[in-house]
Amino acid sequence: MHVVTGGAGFIGSNLVRALIERGCDDVVVVDDLSDGHKIVNFSDLSIADYLDKDEFAERLGNDREFGRSISAVFHQGACSETTEWDGRYMMLNNYSYSKQLLQHCLQNKVQFIYASSAAVYGGSSEFVEDPVFENPLNVYGYSKLQFDRYVRRVAANPESQVTGLRYFNVYGPHEQHKGSMASVAFHFNNQLREDGECRLFEGSDGYGDGEQLRDFVYVDDICKVNLWFLDNPGSSGIFNAGTGRSQSFNDVANAVIGWHGKGKIRYVPFPEHLKGAYQSFTEAGLGQLRESGCDVEFRSVEAGVTAYLEQLSRV
């Protein structure tokens, strides 16, 4: 049984699809469907079962046969709102729940591949999997970092696979439910269709208008990284999952404009509430990922945005 927590969400639903497309007929989706709109992300997929996240945790604790039937857990479920400052809520969802799943997988020698985040680096100027560069700017980033620290402490030499993937700026299909947390590619596309323009922030932190740099990575490539680790259970550790090449917000907007063959860019004032809590530059260091043997090739913004918009146009 392959379990995907957060399987109704953005990355999770794409991963469920990728598992089914490779022939897995035992995929179980675990999520919280309080927001029922998320069913559109996986309603066309023939999954083996669906469990609420609390029911799943309870069954792990009380149903030994159920737990033993699991071969791999892709733990993608989390509160991903970077603007959420309720630390108690964030730590219960992103930290305590993750510890419970990890302990089950360690005890039962189940492959455990989980979503960390580039948010752990926060204001750092280098993005290498080393504590010296970890400096989160918000409670979301802290919740992810604290779980990484827990993994380093209790699973330093695991008998079964424990792999954390620090996702950078992921974009692609099935992110529409994320609202303001959806990618800039998603928002630029909607803005251009509605108003004929893409709205970008003016310059900040020494960067020119729209020239802030992020490591934008297409969700299909992220799924390929997850599946590579599934196929290589001897590889454990915490790894960056990004392209290794930063590109500007202007690049994303121009890719959207280029696909549509029309549109313009307008720069808007940088929001006051984001000052001091915004990553103006991210770029995944891929040294450790490549040393693990993972050879997944990552698309550029231009190639990824084209693939994304072509898929959106078919919906």
Side-chain angles (χ1 to χ4, degrees):
M1 183 191 307
H2 294 79
V3 174
V4 182
T5 72
F10 167 39
I11 297 175
S13 64
N14 280 283
L15 184 52
V16 169
R17 190 175 303 272
L19 285 164
I20 290 174
E21 287 178 350
R22 67 156 34 194
C24 296
D25 60 0
D26 60 352
V27 180
V28 174
V29 168
V30 173
D31 212 309
D32 175 354
L33 281 178
S34 296
D35 176 8
H37 295 96
K38 292 193 294 185
I39 63 167
V40 70
N41 290 340
F42 72 108
S43 59
D44 63 325
L45 300 176
S46 182
I47 62 173
D49 202 358
Y50 169 85
L51 293 172
D52 179 82
K53 72 180 188 70
D54 292 334
E55 180 186 359
F56 177 62
E58 182 179 351
R59 286 193 66 180
L60 284 184
N62 299 327
D63 187 344
R64 293 182 63 83
E65 290 307 312
F66 172 76
R68 288 171 178 163
S69 68
I70 299 172
S71 58
V73 171
F74 294 90
H75 181 35
Q76 311 297 302
C79 173
S80 59
E81 297 277 343
T82 59
T83 55
E84 175 60 68
W85 285 97
D86 184 338
R88 184 174 183 274
Y89 171 78
M90 189 72 78
M91 295 303 285
L92 283 171
N93 277 273
N94 294 5
Y95 183 55
S96 298
Y97 192 85
S98 299
K99 287 196 298 179
Q100 182 180 358
L101 299 192
L102 172 64
Q103 289 297 338
H104 170 83
C105 290
L106 288 173
Q107 291 165 12
N108 293 277
K109 295 183 173 55
V110 172
Q111 288 178 260
F112 185 69
I113 303 170
Y114 72 92
S116 183
S117 171
V120 303
Y121 297 115
S124 179
S125 59
E126 292 192 50
F127 302 86
V128 179
E129 304 91 329
D130 187 303
V132 72
F133 301 119
E134 297 163 356
N135 181 32
L137 295 174
N138 51 48
V139 70
Y140 166 73
Y142 175 74
S143 71
K144 289 295 190 177
L145 175 57
Q146 185 56 31
F147 184 63
D148 284 351
R149 288 169 171 166
Y150 183 79
V151 167
R152 285 169 172 159
R153 185 170 68 254
V154 306
N157 297 292
E159 293 184 20
S160 57
Q161 183 182 51
V162 178
T163 297
L165 297 175
R166 289 181 169 172
Y167 298 152
F168 279 66
N169 285 78
V170 188
Y171 63 95
H174 305 140
E175 59 172 322
Q176 70 289 331
H177 65 280
K178 292 173 66 67
S180 63
M181 291 294 107
S183 73
V184 292
F186 175 81
H187 289 299
F188 290 164
N189 183 57
N190 286 343
Q191 290 166 6
L192 191 148
R193 291 173 60 191
E194 294 169 5
D195 306 317
E197 64 180 23
C198 300
R199 293 184 287 278
L200 283 67
F201 290 153
E202 292 177 347
S204 62
D205 294 336
Y207 291 88
D209 294 347
E211 286 299 308
Q212 298 93 338
L213 298 165
R214 294 281 183 88
D215 192 327
F216 298 102
V217 56
Y218 191 52
V219 69
D220 282 6
D221 298 336
I222 288 295
C223 291
K224 290 177 182 177
V225 173
N226 275 273
L227 295 181
W228 186 90
F229 279 99
L230 176 68
D231 293 337
N232 291 270
S235 294
S236 291
I238 296 172
F239 305 94
N240 287 336
T243 68
R245 175 193 175 198
S246 64
Q247 292 191 249
S248 71
F249 287 82
N250 283 327
D251 287 342
V252 181
N254 284 322
V256 172
I257 290 169
W259 188 85
H260 284 278
K262 61 181 181 180
K264 63 180 181 179
I265 292 174
R266 179 165 66 89
Y267 300 105
V268 300
F270 192 87
E272 285 293 327
H273 73 279
L274 290 181
K275 291 181 178 178
Y278 185 82
Q279 289 176 295
S280 294
F281 171 76
T282 64
E283 184 174 84
L286 297 185
Q288 293 191 36
L289 184 73
R290 295 314 188 198
E291 287 176 12
S292 75
C294 180
D295 57 358
V296 171
E297 293 295 326
F298 298 97
R299 274 165 271 205
S300 66
V301 158
E302 293 75 16
V305 167
T306 296
Y308 184 15
L309 298 186
E310 287 178 351
Q311 181 153 339
L312 284 179
S313 70
R314 294 193 292 268
V315 176

CSV table of all heavy atoms in Angstrom, one decimal, residues 253-284:
chain,number,residue,atom,x,y,z
A,253,ALA,N,6.5,35.9,-15.7
A,253,ALA,CA,5.5,36.8,-16.4
A,253,ALA,C,5.7,36.7,-17.9
A,253,ALA,O,4.7,36.6,-18.6
A,253,ALA,CB,5.6,38.2,-15.8
A,254,ASN,N,6.9,36.9,-18.3
A,254,ASN,CA,7.2,36.9,-19.7
A,254,ASN,C,6.9,35.5,-20.4
A,254,ASN,O,6.5,35.5,-21.5
A,254,ASN,CB,8.6,37.3,-20.0
A,254,ASN,CG,8.9,38.8,-19.9
A,254,ASN,OD1,8.0,39.6,-20.2
A,254,ASN,ND2,10.0,39.2,-19.3
A,255,ALA,N,7.1,34.4,-19.6
A,255,ALA,CA,6.7,33.1,-20.1
A,255,ALA,C,5.2,33.0,-20.3
A,255,ALA,O,4.7,32.4,-21.3
A,255,ALA,CB,7.2,32.0,-19.2
A,256,VAL,N,4.5,33.5,-19.4
A,256,VAL,CA,3.0,33.5,-19.5
A,256,VAL,C,2.5,34.4,-20.7
A,256,VAL,O,1.7,34.0,-21.5
A,256,VAL,CB,2.3,34.0,-18.2
A,256,VAL,CG1,0.8,34.2,-18.3
A,256,VAL,CG2,2.7,33.0,-17.0
A,257,ILE,N,3.1,35.6,-20.8
A,257,ILE,CA,2.8,36.5,-21.9
A,257,ILE,C,3.1,35.9,-23.2
A,257,ILE,O,2.4,35.9,-24.2
A,257,ILE,CB,3.5,37.8,-21.7
A,257,ILE,CG1,2.9,38.6,-20.5
A,257,ILE,CG2,3.4,38.7,-22.9
A,257,ILE,CD1,3.7,39.8,-20.0
A,258,GLY,N,4.3,35.2,-23.3
A,258,GLY,CA,4.7,34.6,-24.5
A,258,GLY,C,3.8,33.5,-24.9
A,258,GLY,O,3.5,33.3,-26.1
A,259,TRP,N,3.3,32.7,-24.0
A,259,TRP,CA,2.4,31.6,-24.3
A,259,TRP,C,1.1,32.2,-24.9
A,259,TRP,O,0.6,31.6,-25.8
A,259,TRP,CB,2.1,30.7,-23.1
A,259,TRP,CG,1.4,29.5,-23.4
A,259,TRP,CD1,1.9,28.3,-23.9
A,259,TRP,CD2,-0.1,29.3,-23.4
A,259,TRP,NE1,0.9,27.4,-24.1
A,259,TRP,CE2,-0.4,28.0,-23.8
A,259,TRP,CE3,-1.1,30.2,-23.0
A,259,TRP,CZ2,-1.6,27.5,-23.9
A,259,TRP,CZ3,-2.4,29.6,-23.1
A,259,TRP,CH2,-2.7,28.3,-23.5
A,260,HIS,N,0.6,33.2,-24.3
A,260,HIS,CA,-0.7,33.8,-24.7
A,260,HIS,C,-0.5,34.7,-26.0
A,260,HIS,O,-1.5,34.9,-26.7
A,260,HIS,CB,-1.3,34.7,-23.6
A,260,HIS,CG,-2.0,33.9,-22.5
A,260,HIS,ND1,-3.2,33.4,-22.6
A,260,HIS,CD2,-1.5,33.5,-21.3
A,260,HIS,CE1,-3.5,32.8,-21.5
A,260,HIS,NE2,-2.5,32.8,-20.7
A,261,GLY,N,0.7,35.1,-26.2
A,261,GLY,CA,1.0,36.0,-27.4
A,261,GLY,C,0.5,37.4,-27.2
A,261,GLY,O,0.3,38.1,-28.2
A,262,LYS,N,0.2,37.8,-25.9
A,262,LYS,CA,-0.3,39.1,-25.7
A,262,LYS,C,-0.1,39.4,-24.2
A,262,LYS,O,0.1,38.5,-23.4
A,262,LYS,CB,-1.7,39.3,-26.1
A,262,LYS,CG,-2.7,38.3,-25.3
A,262,LYS,CD,-4.1,38.5,-25.7
A,262,LYS,CE,-5.0,37.5,-24.9
A,262,LYS,NZ,-6.4,37.7,-25.3
A,263,GLY,N,-0.3,40.7,-23.8
A,263,GLY,CA,-0.2,41.0,-22.4
A,263,GLY,C,0.9,42.0,-22.1
A,263,GLY,O,1.8,42.2,-22.9
A,264,LYS,N,0.9,42.5,-20.9
A,264,LYS,CA,2.0,43.4,-20.4
A,264,LYS,C,2.2,43.2,-18.9
A,264,LYS,O,1.4,42.5,-18.2
A,264,LYS,CB,1.6,44.9,-20.7
A,264,LYS,CG,0.3,45.3,-19.9
A,264,LYS,CD,0.0,46.8,-20.2
A,264,LYS,CE,-1.2,47.2,-19.4
A,264,LYS,NZ,-1.6,48.7,-19.7
A,265,ILE,N,3.3,43.8,-18.4
A,265,ILE,CA,3.6,43.7,-17.0
A,265,ILE,C,3.4,45.1,-16.4
A,265,ILE,O,3.7,46.1,-17.0
A,265,ILE,CB,5.1,43.3,-16.9
A,265,ILE,CG1,5.4,41.9,-17.3
A,265,ILE,CG2,5.6,43.5,-15.4
A,265,ILE,CD1,6.8,41.5,-17.3
A,266,ARG,N,2.8,45.0,-15.2
A,266,ARG,CA,2.6,46.3,-14.4
A,266,ARG,C,3.2,46.0,-13.0
A,266,ARG,O,2.9,45.0,-12.4
A,266,ARG,CB,1.2,46.7,-14.3
A,266,ARG,CG,1.0,48.0,-13.4
A,266,ARG,CD,-0.4,48.6,-13.6
A,266,ARG,NE,-1.5,47.7,-13.2
A,266,ARG,CZ,-2.0,47.8,-11.9
A,266,ARG,NH1,-1.4,48.6,-11.0
A,266,ARG,NH2,-3.0,47.0,-11.6
A,267,TYR,N,4.0,46.9,-12.5
A,267,TYR,CA,4.6,46.8,-11.2
A,267,TYR,C,3.8,47.5,-10.1
A,267,TYR,O,3.4,48.6,-10.3
A,267,TYR,CB,6.1,47.3,-11.2
A,267,TYR,CG,6.9,46.5,-12.2
A,267,TYR,CD1,7.3,47.1,-13.4
A,267,TYR,CD2,7.3,45.2,-12.0
A,267,TYR,CE1,8.0,46.4,-14.3
A,267,TYR,CE2,8.1,44.5,-12.9
A,267,TYR,CZ,8.4,45.2,-14.1
A,267,TYR,OH,9.2,44.5,-15.0
A,268,VAL,N,3.6,46.8,-9.0
A,268,VAL,CA,2.8,47.4,-7.9
A,268,VAL,C,3.7,47.5,-6.7
A,268,VAL,O,4.7,46.8,-6.5
A,268,VAL,CB,1.6,46.5,-7.6
A,268,VAL,CG1,0.7,46.3,-8.8
A,268,VAL,CG2,2.0,45.1,-7.1
A,269,PRO,N,3.3,48.4,-5.8
A,269,PRO,CA,4.1,48.6,-4.6
A,269,PRO,C,4.3,47.4,-3.8
A,269,PRO,O,3.4,46.5,-3.6
A,269,PRO,CB,3.4,49.7,-3.8
A,269,PRO,CG,2.5,50.4,-4.8
A,269,PRO,CD,2.2,49.4,-5.8
A,270,PHE,N,5.5,47.2,-3.2
A,270,PHE,CA,5.8,46.0,-2.4
A,270,PHE,C,5.1,46.1,-1.1
A,270,PHE,O,5.1,47.2,-0.4
A,270,PHE,CB,7.4,46.0,-2.1
A,270,PHE,CG,7.8,44.7,-1.5
A,270,PHE,CD1,8.1,43.6,-2.3
A,270,PHE,CD2,7.8,44.5,-0.1
A,270,PHE,CE1,8.5,42.4,-1.8
A,270,PHE,CE2,8.2,43.3,0.4
A,270,PHE,CZ,8.6,42.2,-0.4
A,271,PRO,N,4.3,45.1,-0.7
A,271,PRO,CA,3.5,45.1,0.5
A,271,PRO,C,4.2,45.4,1.8
A,271,PRO,O,5.3,44.7,2.0
A,271,PRO,CB,2.8,43.8,0.5
A,271,PRO,CG,2.9,43.3,-0.9
A,271,PRO,CD,4.2,43.8,-1.4
A,272,GLU,N,3.7,46.2,2.6
A,272,GLU,CA,4.4,46.5,3.9
A,272,GLU,C,4.5,45.3,4.8
A,272,GLU,O,5.5,45.0,5.4
A,272,GLU,CB,3.6,47.6,4.6
A,272,GLU,CG,3.8,49.0,4.1
A,272,GLU,CD,5.3,49.5,4.3
A,272,GLU,OE1,5.9,49.2,5.3
A,272,GLU,OE2,5.7,50.3,3.4
A,273,HIS,N,3.4,44.5,4.8
A,273,HIS,CA,3.4,43.3,5.7
A,273,HIS,C,4.4,42.2,5.3
A,273,HIS,O,4.6,41.3,6.1
A,273,HIS,CB,1.9,42.7,5.8
A,273,HIS,CG,1.5,42.0,4.6
A,273,HIS,ND1,1.0,42.6,3.4
A,273,HIS,CD2,1.5,40.6,4.3
A,273,HIS,CE1,0.7,41.7,2.5
A,273,HIS,NE2,1.0,40.5,3.0
A,274,LEU,N,4.9,42.3,4.1
A,274,LEU,CA,5.9,41.3,3.7
A,274,LEU,C,7.3,41.7,3.9
A,274,LEU,O,8.3,40.9,3.8
A,274,LEU,CB,5.7,40.9,2.2
A,274,LEU,CG,4.4,40.2,1.8
A,274,LEU,CD1,4.4,39.9,0.4
A,274,LEU,CD2,4.4,38.9,2.6
A,275,LYS,N,7.5,43.0,4.2
A,275,LYS,CA,8.9,43.4,4.4
A,275,LYS,C,9.5,42.8,5.7
A,275,LYS,O,8.9,42.7,6.7
A,275,LYS,CB,8.9,45.0,4.6
A,275,LYS,CG,8.6,45.7,3.3
A,275,LYS,CD,8.6,47.2,3.5
A,275,LYS,CE,8.3,47.9,2.2
A,275,LYS,NZ,8.2,49.4,2.3
A,276,GLY,N,10.7,42.2,5.5
A,276,GLY,CA,11.4,41.4,6.5
A,276,GLY,C,10.9,40.0,6.7
A,276,GLY,O,11.5,39.3,7.5
A,277,ALA,N,9.9,39.6,5.9
A,277,ALA,CA,9.4,38.2,6.0
A,277,ALA,C,9.2,37.6,4.6
A,277,ALA,O,8.3,36.8,4.3
A,277,ALA,CB,8.1,38.2,6.7
A,278,TYR,N,10.1,38.0,3.7
A,278,TYR,CA,10.0,37.7,2.3
A,278,TYR,C,11.3,37.2,1.7
A,278,TYR,O,12.4,37.8,2.0
A,278,TYR,CB,9.5,38.9,1.5
A,278,TYR,CG,9.2,38.6,0.0
A,278,TYR,CD1,8.0,38.1,-0.4
A,278,TYR,CD2,10.1,39.0,-1.0
A,278,TYR,CE1,7.7,37.9,-1.7
A,278,TYR,CE2,9.8,38.8,-2.3
A,278,TYR,CZ,8.6,38.2,-2.7
A,278,TYR,OH,8.3,38.0,-4.0
A,279,GLN,N,11.3,36.1,1.0
A,279,GLN,CA,12.6,35.6,0.4
A,279,GLN,C,12.7,36.2,-1.0
A,279,GLN,O,12.0,35.9,-1.9
A,279,GLN,CB,12.6,34.1,0.3
A,279,GLN,CG,12.7,33.3,1.6
A,279,GLN,CD,12.6,31.8,1.5
A,279,GLN,OE1,11.5,31.3,1.1
A,279,GLN,NE2,13.6,31.1,1.8
A,280,SER,N,13.7,37.1,-1.1
A,280,SER,CA,13.9,37.7,-2.4
A,280,SER,C,14.8,36.9,-3.3
A,280,SER,O,14.9,37.2,-4.5
A,280,SER,CB,14.5,39.1,-2.2
A,280,SER,OG,13.6,40.0,-1.6
A,281,PHE,N,15.4,35.9,-2.8
A,281,PHE,CA,16.3,35.1,-3.6
A,281,PHE,C,16.3,33.6,-3.0
A,281,PHE,O,16.5,33.4,-1.8
A,281,PHE,CB,17.7,35.6,-3.5
A,281,PHE,CG,18.8,34.7,-4.2
A,281,PHE,CD1,18.8,34.5,-5.5
A,281,PHE,CD2,19.6,33.9,-3.4
A,281,PHE,CE1,19.8,33.6,-6.1
A,281,PHE,CE2,20.5,33.0,-3.9
A,281,PHE,CZ,20.6,32.9,-5.3
A,282,THR,N,16.1,32.7,-3.9
A,282,THR,CA,16.3,31.3,-3.5
A,282,THR,C,16.9,30.5,-4.7
A,282,THR,O,16.6,30.8,-5.8
A,282,THR,CB,14.9,30.5,-3.1
A,282,THR,OG1,14.1,30.5,-4.3
A,282,THR,CG2,14.2,31.3,-2.0
A,283,GLU,N,17.7,29.6,-4.4
A,283,GLU,CA,18.4,28.8,-5.4
A,283,GLU,C,18.9,27.5,-4.8
A,283,GLU,O,19.8,27.5,-4.0
A,283,GLU,CB,19.5,29.5,-6.1
A,283,GLU,CG,20.1,28.8,-7.3
A,283,GLU,CD,21.1,29.6,-8.1
A,283,GLU,OE1,22.3,29.6,-7.6
A,283,GLU,OE2,20.7,30.3,-9.0
A,284,ALA,N,18.3,26.4,-5.1
A,284,ALA,CA,18.6,25.1,-4.5
A,284,ALA,C,20.0,24.7,-4.8
A,284,ALA,O,20.4,24.6,-6.0
A,284,ALA,CB,17.6,24.0,-5.0
